[in-house]
Amino acid sequence: MHVVFDDTAMVAAGRGNLLASRLIHRAHAEAGWYLYAPACALVEADRARPGTAEHFAALPAVTVLDLDLPATLAIASDTTWAHAHTRYAATPTPERPEGAVVATVDPARWTAQPVRIIDLTP
């Protein structure tokens, strides 16, 4: 299972959201679970709740996704980089042919997007 945290999910995890904590624990304890934090979403999460980026990036089960050239080209025309980078990270790749699921506490933000979500709303 591949899960990309959006900025709202990262902030929720920093505030002790139980569902986010369970995902983090599962990725740490069970094989086959992978968590990703897009760099642009980390920035937005840290703006909303200072310290979130450092905390989330330090988690051993989380892979921070850099804003590389293909990601930059894919998100450049979007209005919000955090949302666009998260969407880009969830799209299928050779390593993740099924793509990834987006963890969020704002599912309405993703309704018109071609991604699957995990609603972390308590």
Side-chain angles (χ1 to χ4, degrees):
M1 173 69 87
H2 297 272
V3 181
V4 179
F5 273 63
D6 74 0
D7 55 311
T8 67
M10 289 182 218
V11 170
R15 290 186 174 142
N17 178 289
L18 182 61
L19 297 173
S21 295
R22 285 182 181 166
L23 283 175
I24 293 165
H25 173 73
R26 181 165 276 176
H28 182 71
E30 295 182 29
W33 282 80
Y34 305 95
L35 301 184
Y36 304 96
C40 293
L42 272 175
V43 170
E44 285 303 314
D46 204 69
R47 287 178 179 166
R49 186 174 188 272
T52 299
E54 185 176 346
H55 170 77
F56 213 78
L59 295 171
V62 174
T63 300
V64 176
L65 300 174
D66 295 331
L67 185 61
D68 59 9
L69 181 58
T72 301
L73 296 174
I75 73 170
S77 63
D78 220 304
T79 55
T80 167
W81 286 16
H83 188 262
H85 197 191
T86 301
R87 184 183 61 241
Y88 175 79
T91 59
T93 66
E95 299 82 27
R96 296 184 307 273
E98 299 294 319
V101 179
V102 174
T104 186
V105 294
D106 186 6
R109 154 197 288 196
W110 297 100
T111 52
Q113 302 297 318
V115 297
R116 297 169 292 150
I117 65 161
I118 296 176
D119 186 355
L120 301 181
T121 306

